[in-house]
């Protein structure tokens, strides 16, 4: 009996001890695993190699790493705690590890199942999973799950979204739009997740029903307003004020529908608007260049009859030197587009945009270029330099007119001075139109005048460069073609064709190709557009090409000058160096080589030194042309001297004639 009892005890107690032993071993292994860092890859780091690491305990998914500069950098993260099972548990912390592991390979196919379960358990208000979503960590995998869930809900719910459903939907979206989760969005493998979220929220809001009472659903990171409008309203104003980051500072946004627009409505209709303070930062991955979203993202859902709205954005960053653009989100191409909006008014605090909502454009905001370098020093240099340049060019043209007959007696001298005179004349006109364009307050208030000013600035500055090219070709013609000459009339016609014909063709084609689509001008200044149509290339490409050709011309002149002194004495060598330096000093402003410093600005646009150097060399270009092209020319100085001497001689003869007439007819004294 005792042996039987002992055997029974062993049978029942041994499994218990075995389980206890196994659990202790599992705990030790788990402790070892936990002690191991999960944010570093175990593999050997070879440049551009990839590595995958499992997620920490109690989470599903994995982390991807890329080796750069001998260090592992995390690039993807799918770690998640949300599963179909855990979402519908009453207490998220009660979900067992083993239950989660059962679904580890089935999860990617289970997202729609979550939506189906949601529609079965709480179809009226979608609230049965809110608690578990709100208590879930905002890690990349969970964010991706919620984004996909919101997308599926917006697709599954076909119509009749009431305020309760919109409230639950907003709570789910608010959880992943939290400013503390922004950094985790960068590790989601699907880089268009923020675009999907915006599209899903807008699609769901389109089905929202607004009855007699206005809807106001306010969360910290998403705010929805819905109201009814009709042609009898004097206008509609929807105002938002939200915190952008963890500070208490709020940024406002406003949607204004004018009375004239509302009159287009045949009957009472509804308007829904949604404001996002943090979504702009998530959408910045789609931006090109150094541009950031600088205001709330405002989604506006209107009746199809309404085509124009005014949006007021308070700026997040109120830097005066920043450049602002009004933009709309292109829902098909997933990018910000300037074609949807037009800047109406701007100051350092806010921007007012006129936008055109449509199926393609539902969301709007403002972009900021933070590295737009505007220094008072540059402004002073530009305007002082232009003033001196204009006076110098007027003096240059006056001197050329005075001595024209004396310095153009030969064909080559005639063509040379023809080029200098036209360079001075076109640069003078370009500077004048540049000042006119700068005094216009931009395309928003003087659009037609801005187009005209931009066209003439473009044309005359191109003419400056092409006349410089004509002079360079004339120099090459004189150096390389010695025994063959063309008639003077042919050369003059060729010079005018190059100097004025080519710039006119380029300027006309540019305005004709870009202006119909409103892509000719920049939104903030009277100058060629860059962001959308790249119209600025119609100036930059010809200008830099001519600078390169002219640089080759100067090199040829230097080589020819240097070759003539080979084998000469030291004195002649020194004279040759002086002559070469003089040629470079004269040809640099006349051939526009100073514009080559613009390449340095393109390479490093933040360097104030490069900007100052570029402004000094080019704002004073008219002064340099006067000095090196006119005053330092010995023939012009001699002609001026003769002109002055002849003027003195004529005045002296006139005085003598007057005095002789006076002596021949003496006045009679009193008798």
């Amino acid at each position: 009996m005792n042996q039987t009892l002992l055997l029974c005890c062993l049978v029942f107690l041994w499994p218990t001890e075995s389980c206890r032993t196994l659990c202790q071993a599992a705990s030790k292994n788990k402790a070892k695993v936990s002690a191991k860092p999960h944010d570093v890859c175990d593999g050997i780091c070879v440049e551009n190699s990839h590595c995958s690491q499992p997620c920490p305990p109690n989470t599903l998914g994995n982390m991807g790493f890329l080796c750069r500069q001998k260090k592992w950098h995390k690039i993807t993260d799918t770690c998640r705690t949300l599963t179909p099972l855990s979402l519908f548990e009453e207490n998220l912390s009660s979900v067992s590890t083993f239950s989660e592991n059962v679904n580890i390979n089935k999860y990617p196919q289970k997202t729609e199942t979550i939506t189906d379960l949601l529609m079965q358990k709480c179809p009226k208000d979608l609230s049965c999973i809110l608690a578990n979503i709100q208590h879930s960590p905002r890690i990349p995998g969970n964010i991706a799950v919620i984004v996909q869930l919101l997308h599926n809900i917006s697709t599954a719910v076909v119509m009749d979204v009431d305020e309760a459903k919109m409230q639950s939907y907003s709570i789910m979206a608010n959880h992943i739009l939290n400013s503390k989760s922004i950094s985790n969005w960068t590790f989601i493998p699907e880089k268009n997740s923020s675009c999907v979220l915006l599209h899903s929220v807008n699609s769901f809001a389109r089905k929202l029903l607004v009855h007699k009472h206005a809807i106001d659903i306010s969360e910290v990171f998403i705010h929805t307003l819905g109201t009814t409008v009709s042609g009898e309203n004097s206008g509609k104003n929807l105002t938002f004020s939200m915190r952008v980051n963890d500070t208490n500072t709020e940024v406002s946004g406003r949607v204004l529908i004018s009375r004239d627009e509302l009159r287009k409505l045949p009957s009472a209709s509804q308007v829904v608007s949604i404001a996002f303070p943090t979504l702009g930062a998530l959408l910045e991955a789609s931006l090109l260049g150094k541009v950031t979203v600088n205001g709330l993202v405002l989604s506006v859902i209107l009746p199809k009859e309404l085509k124009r709205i005014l949006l007021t954005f308070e700026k997040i960053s109120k830097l005066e030197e920043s450049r602002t653009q009004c933009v709309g989100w292109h829902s098909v191409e997933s990018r910000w587009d300037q074609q949807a909006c037009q800047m109406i008014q701007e100051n350092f605090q806010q921007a007012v945009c006129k936008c055109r909502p449509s199926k393609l454009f539902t969301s709007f905001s403002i972009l900021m270029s933070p590295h737009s370098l505007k220094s008072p020093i540059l402004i002073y240099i530009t305007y002082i330099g232009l003033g001196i340049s204009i006076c110098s060019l007027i003096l240059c043209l006056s001197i050329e007119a005075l001595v024209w007959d004396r310095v153009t007696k030969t064909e080559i001298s005639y063509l040379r001075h023809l080029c200098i005179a036209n360079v001075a004349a076109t640069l003078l006109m370009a500077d004048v139109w540049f000042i006119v364009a700068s005094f216009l307050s931009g395309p928003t208030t003087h659009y037609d005048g801005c187009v005209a000013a931009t066209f003439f600035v473009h044309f005359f500055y191109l003419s400056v460069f092409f006349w410089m090219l004509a002079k360079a070709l004339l120099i090459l013609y004189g150096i390389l073609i010695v025994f063959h000459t063309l008639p003077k009339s042919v050369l003059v016609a060729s010079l005018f064709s190059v100097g004025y014909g080519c710039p006119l063709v380029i300027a006309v084609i540019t305005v004709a190709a870009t202006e119909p689509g409103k892509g000719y001008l920049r939104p903030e200044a009277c100058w060629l557009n860059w962001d959308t149509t790249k119209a600025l290339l119609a100036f930059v490409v010809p200008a830099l090409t001519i600078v390169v050709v002219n640089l080759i011309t100067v090199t040829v002149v230097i080589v020819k000058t240097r070759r003539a002194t080979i084998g000469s004495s030291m004195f002649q060598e020194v004279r040759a160096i002086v002559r070469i330096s003089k040629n470079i000093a004269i040809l640099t402003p006349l051939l526009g080589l100073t514009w080559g410093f613009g390449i340095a600005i393109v390479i490093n646009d933040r360097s104030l030194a490069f900007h100052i150097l570029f402004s000094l060399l080019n704002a004073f270009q008219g002064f340099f042309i006067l000095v090196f092209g006119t005053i330092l020319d010995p023939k012009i100085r001699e002609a001026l001297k003769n002109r002055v001497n002849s003027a003195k001689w004529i005045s002296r003869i006139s005085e003598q004639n007057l005095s002789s007439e006076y002596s021949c007819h003496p006045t009679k004294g009193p008798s």
Side-chain angles (χ1 to χ4, degrees):
M1 181 69 181
N2 291 335
Q3 291 179 348
T4 305
L5 182 63
L6 181 61
L7 182 62
C8 291
C9 289
L10 287 173
V11 169
F12 284 101
L13 289 176
W14 184 82
T16 306
E17 290 299 320
S18 299
C19 289
R20 186 179 295 115
T21 305
L22 288 173
C23 289
Q24 289 175 353
S27 299
K28 290 179 180 179
N29 290 334
K30 185 176 180 180
K32 289 180 181 179
V33 172
S34 301
K36 179 182 173 181
H38 293 274
D39 56 349
V40 178
C41 196
D42 289 336
I44 299 174
C45 187
V46 180
E47 192 68 17
N48 294 324
S49 61
H50 291 264
C51 175
S52 181
Q53 195 80 351
C55 290
N58 300 326
T59 58
L60 309 176
N62 54 67
M63 296 175 288
F65 296 84
L66 176 65
C67 180
R68 286 180 180 172
Q69 297 179 351
K70 299 181 179 180
K71 288 185 179 180
W72 288 112
H73 298 271
K74 186 166 71 172
I75 55 174
T76 60
D77 187 337
T78 60
C79 299
R80 60 190 180 274
T81 60
L82 293 177
T83 66
L85 180 62
S86 66
L87 273 171
F88 292 95
E89 286 287 333
E90 292 185 3
N91 186 0
L92 184 63
S93 61
S94 66
V95 181
S96 66
T97 306
F98 293 103
S99 297
E100 289 177 0
N101 290 339
V102 171
N103 295 295
I104 191 167
N105 295 321
K106 298 180 181 179
Y107 174 73
Q109 290 80 29
K110 283 289 184 179
T111 311
E112 285 196 38
T113 305
I114 298 175
T115 309
D116 295 338
L117 290 171
L118 182 64
M119 293 304 169
Q120 293 171 13
K121 292 194 173 188
C122 48
K124 290 185 177 181
D125 57 6
L126 311 177
S127 62
C128 53
I129 60 172
L130 293 183
N132 288 337
I133 284 181
Q134 287 180 296
H135 288 93
S136 65
R138 300 181 186 91
I139 54 180
N142 284 350
I143 293 174
V145 169
I146 297 172
V147 168
Q148 188 62 47
L149 175 62
L150 293 172
H151 172 70
N152 290 340
I153 292 173
S154 67
T155 305
V157 179
V158 180
M159 56 188 301
D160 296 342
V161 174
D162 57 14
E163 187 171 356
K165 288 179 182 175
M166 194 69 205
Q167 177 80 54
S168 299
Y169 198 90
S170 297
I171 291 172
M172 287 185 268
N174 182 75
H175 182 68
I176 57 176
L177 286 170
N178 192 300
S179 58
K180 295 179 181 178
S181 68
I182 291 177
S183 59
N184 286 334
W185 282 78
T186 59
F187 299 115
I188 300 175
E190 295 78 16
K191 298 305 179 185
N192 66 333
S193 295
S194 57
C195 311
V196 173
L197 176 62
L198 178 60
H199 178 73
S200 302
V201 174
N202 290 341
S203 298
F204 196 74
R206 285 186 186 277
K207 304 162 189 173
L208 179 64
L209 292 178
V210 182
H211 300 291
K212 293 181 180 180
H213 301 288
I215 292 177
D216 188 345
I217 302 171
S218 179
E219 299 293 333
V220 179
F221 301 103
I222 178 172
H223 188 181
T224 303
L225 293 176
T227 186
T228 56
V229 294
S230 66
E232 298 176 357
N233 295 118
S234 58
K236 203 64 184 178
N237 188 350
L238 304 176
T239 303
F240 302 90
S241 183
M242 309 181 75
R243 287 191 294 117
V244 176
N245 45 41
D246 296 331
T247 65
N248 293 323
T249 305
E250 293 192 343
V251 175
S252 64
R254 186 174 63 181
V255 180
L256 177 62
I257 308 173
S258 66
R259 183 177 183 180
D260 293 336
E261 280 292 309
L262 292 177
R263 285 177 178 173
K264 299 176 182 178
L265 293 174
S267 60
S269 304
Q270 67 179 40
V271 172
V272 177
S273 185
I274 310 170
F276 307 89
T278 56
L279 187 57
L282 303 177
L283 294 171
E284 284 177 7
S286 65
L287 298 173
L288 297 176
K290 305 164 186 175
V291 183
T292 57
V293 177
N294 198 30
L296 299 178
V297 175
L298 296 179
S299 292
V300 186
I301 300 165
L302 300 175
K304 61 180 180 180
E305 292 84 5
L306 303 183
K307 304 294 184 183
R308 295 285 188 275
I309 56 172
L310 286 180
L311 301 176
T312 301
F313 298 94
E314 182 182 352
K315 296 180 179 179
I316 298 172
S317 176
K318 297 176 173 61
L319 298 174
E320 293 189 25
E321 66 270 17
S322 64
R323 186 167 65 92
T324 302
Q325 307 168 36
C326 296
V327 290
W329 182 259
H330 198 296
S331 58
V332 175
E333 299 179 4
S334 297
R335 62 177 177 85
W336 291 111
D337 195 330
Q338 286 183 269
Q339 302 298 321
C341 293
Q342 179 183 359
M343 181 79 74
I344 298 299
Q345 187 180 359
E346 182 197 4
N347 54 43
F348 74 97
Q349 287 187 326
Q350 65 178 22
V352 180
C353 308
K354 180 189 288 186
C355 299
R356 297 177 288 106
S358 63
K359 289 184 178 180
L360 286 180
F361 298 104
T362 305
S363 304
F364 307 92
S365 190
I366 54 173
L367 303 183
M368 175 188 71
S369 300
H371 303 304
S372 178
L373 190 60
K374 290 184 180 179
S375 170
I377 299 175
L378 294 177
I379 296 174
Y380 293 141
I381 290 174
T382 300
Y383 285 105
I384 292 173
L386 284 175
I388 296 174
S389 182
I390 288 173
C391 295
S392 301
L393 291 169
I394 293 173
L395 183 58
C396 176
L397 291 172
S398 301
I399 293 174
E400 287 287 344
L402 283 174
V403 300
W404 186 265
D405 294 335
R406 297 174 181 268
V407 297
T408 58
K409 293 180 179 179
T410 64
E411 178 180 309
I412 191 66
S413 61
Y414 175 85
L415 297 174
R416 175 178 175 273
H417 284 278
L418 181 68
C419 290
I420 293 176
N422 279 280
V423 167
T426 52
L427 183 58
L428 175 62
M429 294 303 299
D431 288 346
V432 170
W433 276 105
F434 179 86
I435 293 175
V436 171
S438 65
F439 276 102
L440 294 175
S441 55
T444 55
T445 54
H446 302 92
Y447 188 82
D448 293 336
C450 205
V451 170
T454 301
F455 175 81
F456 284 115
V457 171
H458 184 204
F459 168 68
F460 281 115
Y461 271 121
L462 279 181
S463 296
V464 173
F465 278 99
F466 275 94
W467 271 107
M468 290 174 176
L469 175 64
K471 181 170 176 57
L473 295 176
L474 189 65
I475 293 172
L476 291 176
Y477 173 78
I479 293 175
L480 302 177
I481 303 174
V482 181
F483 301 105
H484 179 72
T485 58
L486 294 173
K488 181 179 177 181
S489 58
V490 174
L491 289 173
V492 171
S494 301
L495 291 177
F496 273 91
S497 298
V498 172
Y500 291 112
C502 294
L504 184 61
V505 170
I506 295 173
V508 169
I509 290 176
T510 303
V511 69
T514 58
E515 177 53 26
K518 302 299 180 184
Y520 184 58
L521 301 175
R522 297 190 177 196
E524 78 287 351
C526 297
W527 186 227
L528 298 174
N529 185 289
W530 171 254
D531 297 312
T532 55
T533 60
K534 306 297 187 228
L536 184 60
L537 290 175
F539 173 74
V540 173
V541 172
L544 290 183
T545 303
I546 290 171
V547 168
V548 171
V549 173
N550 292 357
L551 185 61
I552 294 172
T553 302
V554 173
T555 305
V556 171
V557 171
I558 293 172
V559 170
K560 287 287 185 180
T561 307
R562 176 65 180 156
R563 186 177 297 172
T565 61
I566 295 176
S568 303
S569 63
M570 181 62 70
F571 178 72
Q572 289 175 325
E573 289 277 354
V574 172
R575 289 187 61 185
I577 293 172
V578 172
R579 188 161 61 251
I580 290 172
S581 302
K582 185 178 178 181
N583 288 336
I584 294 173
I586 292 173
L587 293 176
T588 296
L590 290 178
L591 299 183
L593 299 185
T594 54
W595 288 83
F597 286 94
I599 299 174
I601 295 177
V602 173
I603 295 172
N604 187 4
D605 63 341
R606 302 188 200 180
S607 174
L608 183 61
F610 285 156
H611 281 272
I612 291 176
L613 182 62
F614 181 77
S615 298
L616 281 171
L617 291 175
N618 294 291
F620 289 88
Q621 190 173 12
F623 174 74
F624 296 145
I625 289 174
L626 171 67
V627 173
F628 294 106
T630 304
I631 295 176
L632 292 182
D633 190 332
K635 293 182 179 179
I636 291 180
R637 291 203 306 271
E638 185 67 25
L640 271 177
K641 184 178 179 181
N642 294 335
R643 192 66 182 258
V644 171
N645 290 336
S646 63
K648 288 181 180 179
W649 183 77
I650 292 173
S651 62
R652 191 177 302 157
I653 295 296
S654 300
E655 289 176 1
Q656 291 176 356
N657 291 336
L658 287 173
S659 61
S660 62
E661 288 181 7
Y662 182 80
S663 60
C664 292
H665 303 282
T667 57
K668 294 183 179 181
S671 55

